[in-house]
Structures are given as structure tokens and as C-alpha cells.
Amino acid sequence: MSKNKRLAIIGTGFSNKDPGVPAPIAKVAAAGFAPELVETRLSVFPGTPYERGLCALGYVEAGIRAQDEGHDGVFINTFGDYGIDELKSALRIPVVGAGEAAMALATTLGRRFAIVTIWPTQLNFIFDERIRGCGMTAKCAGVFNVMSGEEMTRRGTADDPVAQMREGQAAMIARIVDAATLAVREHGADTVVLGCTCMAPIGHLVAARLTVPVVEPMTAGYKVLETQVALSLSQSMAAYPPATADKLALARNLVAGAALPAVQAEDCEVCEVAAAAE
């Protein structure tokens, strides 16, 4: 009997306090696949571009660890796809990000999609990078934000808007639907992509109130990874040249806080080639 394919899930889509595989993924996992949560050892909220870089380092180390532990694929369970290009270069097992997968799926359902997110405009640098990085600028009608910057300061309080969303409170669902309706009626969107995997619990509620397809990135991205593993597909080494073993060790040691080896600065290989040709 063949063993289940082990798929590493990096990020719960909610918070580090949520144990185990997210319920939306467990619900859609196909027979023959075993999704497993691989927690990051460096956890940083990507509130600024600098903090996003730190967050990406944590995801890269977790992905390397997942491959070391025998997983058959890695799913980056966040719309920001933190560290995705680095992981595609570091790993030989397939790597799928929730953001890239959700947007790609949306382009098969319509001609222009809108990203509707619970997060405020201060975090739109994350969406802007993903839209550009995935080549989706011409296909995206825009990013539509539900929560204000002031509301973001209420995170963790009794008036937490994200908690209200997860609980399915009618007022918050209505705000998300209103943002999506605006995108469709006034900005030419024919498909809606939810802009955070934390929105997974209410995706069906939003979809039931709209007349256009709604792509929920947590489950959409996970199912793309299942498909790639089932078809024995992985990222192209021509697009993502593989990293060397010693460089993978640097990421492990850096996150673990281990002493890094003393190394001399490496010469630029491009400059060396150019000098040799002169």
C-alpha cells in the first residue's frame, strides 16, 4: 500500500495560537494526502517591508526543514507568499503560495479579478508586490480594503474586527460583500479573490451573496499543491536555479541562532567571467 503524500503547511492563516492543520484545509484534503502544519521558528507580522523580509526568512527556514523531514510539497499559507521565490530555488519539492495560486485560478474563471481584503491600506505593499511578481497587473481591477488603520489597532481586543469576521458576524460580512460589490459594479471586476487566508471561514458566506465567482486562497492554493504533487510536477530549475547545500545551511543556522561560519566575501561570478573574457 502506498504511503500518503506529506504536504507541509507553513502558516495557519489565523495566528500562531491555532494548533494543527487549519480546518478548511483538513476539510478539502483528498485521500492519499496528509497535510501537516510546519511552524515557523521566526515569527514576525509583516507590517512593514522590512518586517516582511524577516517573515520571509522564517518561511524559508521552515520550508527547508520540511524538505529535510521528508515532506513531498510545501504550501505557503498566506496571501503574501513570503519567501516563495527563495523557497522555489531552495527546494526540489513543489512549492505553492496561496496568493499566486488564487490569482492564477481567478484568471481561468474571468477576465479581471479584484482582491478584497480584511486588511487596511497600510498593508497594500504586500498585495502590490504579489500582483507585480505574479504578472497580474493587467488582470487585477484593484485591491479593496475593508478594515481601516484605526481598526487595526483593535486587534486582540474585545472589538477586534478580524475576530468578528471569523465569527461570521453579519455586519462584518456585509462590509466585505459591499467592498466586493463595489469592485464588480464600478471597477470592472468579474471575479473576486479574498485577500487573506484568514478569510477562509467566511468565504462561502461572501460567495453566497455575490453573483461572480469568489476564490478563497487557503483552499485554492492547497488544492493546487495537491495537483502538482499528484502530477509529479515541481518548479523549473531553469526559472529557479537551485541553491547549494552550504547556502541552505546558512538559513537553518541563522534562524536557529547558531554561530555562523567565518567566510570570506565571495567575488561576483559575473564580474569574474567578464574579466576573464577581456
Side-chain angles (χ1 to χ4, degrees):
M1 182 181 296
S2 60
K3 296 191 300 183
N4 287 341
K5 296 292 186 179
R6 298 173 62 205
L7 304 184
I9 314 300
I10 306 178
T12 64
F14 305 121
S15 76
N16 292 332
K17 297 179 182 178
D18 293 312
V21 173
I25 289 178
K27 184 176 180 179
V28 301
F33 294 95
E36 301 174 9
L37 183 66
V38 175
E39 305 218 33
T40 58
R41 291 172 174 166
L42 175 61
S43 180
V44 181
F45 182 80
T48 67
Y50 170 73
E51 291 161 343
R52 177 180 58 188
L54 293 177
C55 182
L57 177 58
Y59 275 68
V60 168
E61 187 277 332
I64 294 171
R65 183 162 26 99
Q67 180 171 265
D68 291 344
E69 294 173 354
H71 288 85
D72 298 287
V74 167
F75 176 49
I76 304 173
N77 188 25
T78 170
F79 199 99
D81 296 342
Y82 308 126
I84 189 166
D85 286 347
E86 293 83 355
L87 275 173
K88 287 185 177 183
S89 174
L91 308 184
R92 298 279 53 86
I93 58 177
V95 178
V96 172
E100 67 164 9
M103 289 188 288
L105 178 58
T107 65
T108 71
L109 302 172
R111 300 185 185 278
R112 272 171 69 80
F113 65 85
I115 298 173
V116 177
T117 179
I118 185 71
W119 298 110
T121 57
Q122 291 94 316
L123 297 179
N124 277 3
F125 67 89
I126 296 173
F127 302 104
D128 293 342
E129 185 281 326
R130 283 291 74 208
I131 293 167
R132 291 194 308 271
C134 296
M136 294 292 179
T137 302
K139 293 182 177 294
C140 183
V143 179
F144 297 80
N145 306 87
V146 174
M147 186 166 63
S148 69
E150 186 278 328
E151 286 177 297
M152 191 172 177
T153 65
R154 303 181 201 165
R155 293 299 318 281
T157 70
D159 196 24
D160 185 338
V162 177
Q164 293 172 2
M165 177 196 68
R166 290 185 60 188
E167 293 166 2
Q169 292 191 16
M172 184 57 70
I173 302 302
R175 289 175 60 183
I176 295 170
V177 170
D178 287 345
T181 301
L182 175 68
V184 173
R185 290 181 178 174
E186 299 186 21
H187 295 268
D190 53 33
T191 309
V192 168
V193 176
L194 298 183
C196 185
T197 54
C198 70
M199 300 174 78
I202 54 89
H204 66 291
L205 299 177
V206 175
R209 295 179 58 179
L210 295 176
T211 58
V212 300
V214 175
V215 179
E216 187 281 294
M218 179 188 291
T219 51
Y222 170 76
K223 295 302 285 188
V224 169
L225 179 61
E226 280 193 352
T227 299
Q228 288 191 10
V229 171
L231 296 177
S232 299
L233 293 172
S234 188
Q235 55 273 7
S236 167
M237 287 188 286
Y240 302 96
T244 58
D246 60 321
K247 297 301 190 297
L248 298 186
L250 285 176
R252 295 188 194 95
N253 293 337
L254 186 60
V255 171
L260 299 179
V263 295
Q264 293 183 338
E266 296 181 357
D267 292 327
C268 173
E269 294 181 2
V270 175
C271 296
E272 289 181 345
V273 171
E278 293 179 353

PDB file of all heavy atoms in Angstrom, residues 85 88-89 235-242:
ATOM      1  N   ASP A  85       9.929  32.844  -3.860  1.00  0.00           N
ATOM      2  CA  ASP A  85      10.962  32.673  -4.878  1.00  0.00           C
ATOM      3  C   ASP A  85      12.186  31.989  -4.289  1.00  0.00           C
ATOM      4  O   ASP A  85      12.801  31.120  -4.930  1.00  0.00           O
ATOM      5  CB  ASP A  85      11.357  34.020  -5.475  1.00  0.00           C
ATOM      6  CG  ASP A  85      10.293  34.578  -6.410  1.00  0.00           C
ATOM      7  OD1 ASP A  85       9.373  33.822  -6.788  1.00  0.00           O
ATOM      8  OD2 ASP A  85      10.382  35.768  -6.769  1.00  0.00           O
ATOM      9  N   LYS A  88      11.422  28.294  -3.861  1.00  0.00           N
ATOM     10  CA  LYS A  88      11.425  27.557  -5.124  1.00  0.00           C
ATOM     11  C   LYS A  88      12.848  27.280  -5.596  1.00  0.00           C
ATOM     12  O   LYS A  88      13.089  26.307  -6.309  1.00  0.00           O
ATOM     13  CB  LYS A  88      10.631  28.328  -6.182  1.00  0.00           C
ATOM     14  CG  LYS A  88       9.124  28.284  -5.942  1.00  0.00           C
ATOM     15  CD  LYS A  88       8.344  28.954  -7.064  1.00  0.00           C
ATOM     16  CE  LYS A  88       6.852  28.818  -6.835  1.00  0.00           C
ATOM     17  NZ  LYS A  88       6.043  29.387  -7.935  1.00  0.00           N
ATOM     18  N   SER A  89      13.777  28.142  -5.199  1.00  0.00           N
ATOM     19  CA  SER A  89      15.181  27.900  -5.524  1.00  0.00           C
ATOM     20  C   SER A  89      15.819  26.932  -4.537  1.00  0.00           C
ATOM     21  O   SER A  89      16.669  26.120  -4.911  1.00  0.00           O
ATOM     22  CB  SER A  89      15.948  29.233  -5.508  1.00  0.00           C
ATOM     23  OG  SER A  89      17.330  29.052  -5.682  1.00  0.00           O
ATOM     24  N   GLN A 235       8.665  23.158  -9.519  1.00  0.00           N
ATOM     25  CA  GLN A 235       9.138  24.375 -10.149  1.00  0.00           C
ATOM     26  C   GLN A 235      10.358  24.104 -11.054  1.00  0.00           C
ATOM     27  O   GLN A 235      11.155  23.216 -10.798  1.00  0.00           O
ATOM     28  CB  GLN A 235       9.502  25.436  -9.096  1.00  0.00           C
ATOM     29  CG  GLN A 235      10.500  25.003  -8.050  1.00  0.00           C
ATOM     30  CD  GLN A 235       9.830  24.316  -6.871  1.00  0.00           C
ATOM     31  OE1 GLN A 235       8.638  24.042  -6.885  1.00  0.00           O
ATOM     32  NE2 GLN A 235      10.600  24.051  -5.825  1.00  0.00           N
ATOM     33  N   SER A 236      10.457  24.907 -12.106  1.00  0.00           N
ATOM     34  CA  SER A 236      11.516  24.746 -13.098  1.00  0.00           C
ATOM     35  C   SER A 236      12.857  25.224 -12.552  1.00  0.00           C
ATOM     36  O   SER A 236      12.968  26.351 -12.050  1.00  0.00           O
ATOM     37  CB  SER A 236      11.168  25.543 -14.358  1.00  0.00           C
ATOM     38  OG  SER A 236      12.278  25.648 -15.217  1.00  0.00           O
ATOM     39  N   MET A 237      13.875  24.375 -12.680  1.00  0.00           N
ATOM     40  CA  MET A 237      15.209  24.778 -12.262  1.00  0.00           C
ATOM     41  C   MET A 237      15.801  25.813 -13.210  1.00  0.00           C
ATOM     42  O   MET A 237      16.744  26.519 -12.859  1.00  0.00           O
ATOM     43  CB  MET A 237      16.123  23.559 -12.153  1.00  0.00           C
ATOM     44  CG  MET A 237      15.827  22.677 -10.953  1.00  0.00           C
ATOM     45  SD  MET A 237      17.049  21.369 -10.704  1.00  0.00           S
ATOM     46  CE  MET A 237      16.590  20.261 -12.051  1.00  0.00           C
ATOM     47  N   ALA A 238      15.229  25.925 -14.415  1.00  0.00           N
ATOM     48  CA  ALA A 238      15.665  26.977 -15.327  1.00  0.00           C
ATOM     49  C   ALA A 238      15.183  28.339 -14.836  1.00  0.00           C
ATOM     50  O   ALA A 238      15.857  29.353 -15.015  1.00  0.00           O
ATOM     51  CB  ALA A 238      15.142  26.704 -16.734  1.00  0.00           C
ATOM     52  N   ALA A 239      14.007  28.356 -14.221  1.00  0.00           N
ATOM     53  CA  ALA A 239      13.458  29.605 -13.676  1.00  0.00           C
ATOM     54  C   ALA A 239      14.002  29.901 -12.288  1.00  0.00           C
ATOM     55  O   ALA A 239      14.205  31.067 -11.924  1.00  0.00           O
ATOM     56  CB  ALA A 239      11.942  29.528 -13.630  1.00  0.00           C
ATOM     57  N   TYR A 240      14.246  28.849 -11.508  1.00  0.00           N
ATOM     58  CA  TYR A 240      14.697  28.992 -10.125  1.00  0.00           C
ATOM     59  C   TYR A 240      15.959  28.155  -9.920  1.00  0.00           C
ATOM     60  O   TYR A 240      15.883  27.016  -9.442  1.00  0.00           O
ATOM     61  CB  TYR A 240      13.599  28.554  -9.150  1.00  0.00           C
ATOM     62  CG  TYR A 240      12.322  29.338  -9.317  1.00  0.00           C
ATOM     63  CD1 TYR A 240      11.269  28.843 -10.092  1.00  0.00           C
ATOM     64  CD2 TYR A 240      12.171  30.579  -8.717  1.00  0.00           C
ATOM     65  CE1 TYR A 240      10.107  29.564 -10.263  1.00  0.00           C
ATOM     66  CE2 TYR A 240      11.004  31.315  -8.883  1.00  0.00           C
ATOM     67  CZ  TYR A 240       9.974  30.801  -9.648  1.00  0.00           C
ATOM     68  OH  TYR A 240       8.819  31.535  -9.809  1.00  0.00           O
ATOM     69  N   PRO A 241      17.130  28.680 -10.314  1.00  0.00           N
ATOM     70  CA  PRO A 241      18.379  27.910 -10.182  1.00  0.00           C
ATOM     71  C   PRO A 241      18.550  27.409  -8.751  1.00  0.00           C
ATOM     72  O   PRO A 241      18.328  28.146  -7.784  1.00  0.00           O
ATOM     73  CB  PRO A 241      19.455  28.939 -10.544  1.00  0.00           C
ATOM     74  CG  PRO A 241      18.750  29.930 -11.412  1.00  0.00           C
ATOM     75  CD  PRO A 241      17.358  30.012 -10.876  1.00  0.00           C
ATOM     76  N   PRO A 242      18.898  26.127  -8.590  1.00  0.00           N
ATOM     77  CA  PRO A 242      18.945  25.531  -7.247  1.00  0.00           C
ATOM     78  C   PRO A 242      20.058  26.087  -6.382  1.00  0.00           C
ATOM     79  O   PRO A 242      21.177  26.327  -6.847  1.00  0.00           O
ATOM     80  CB  PRO A 242      19.150  24.041  -7.538  1.00  0.00           C
ATOM     81  CG  PRO A 242      19.750  23.994  -8.901  1.00  0.00           C
ATOM     82  CD  PRO A 242      19.182  25.146  -9.653  1.00  0.00           C
TER      83      PRO A 242
END
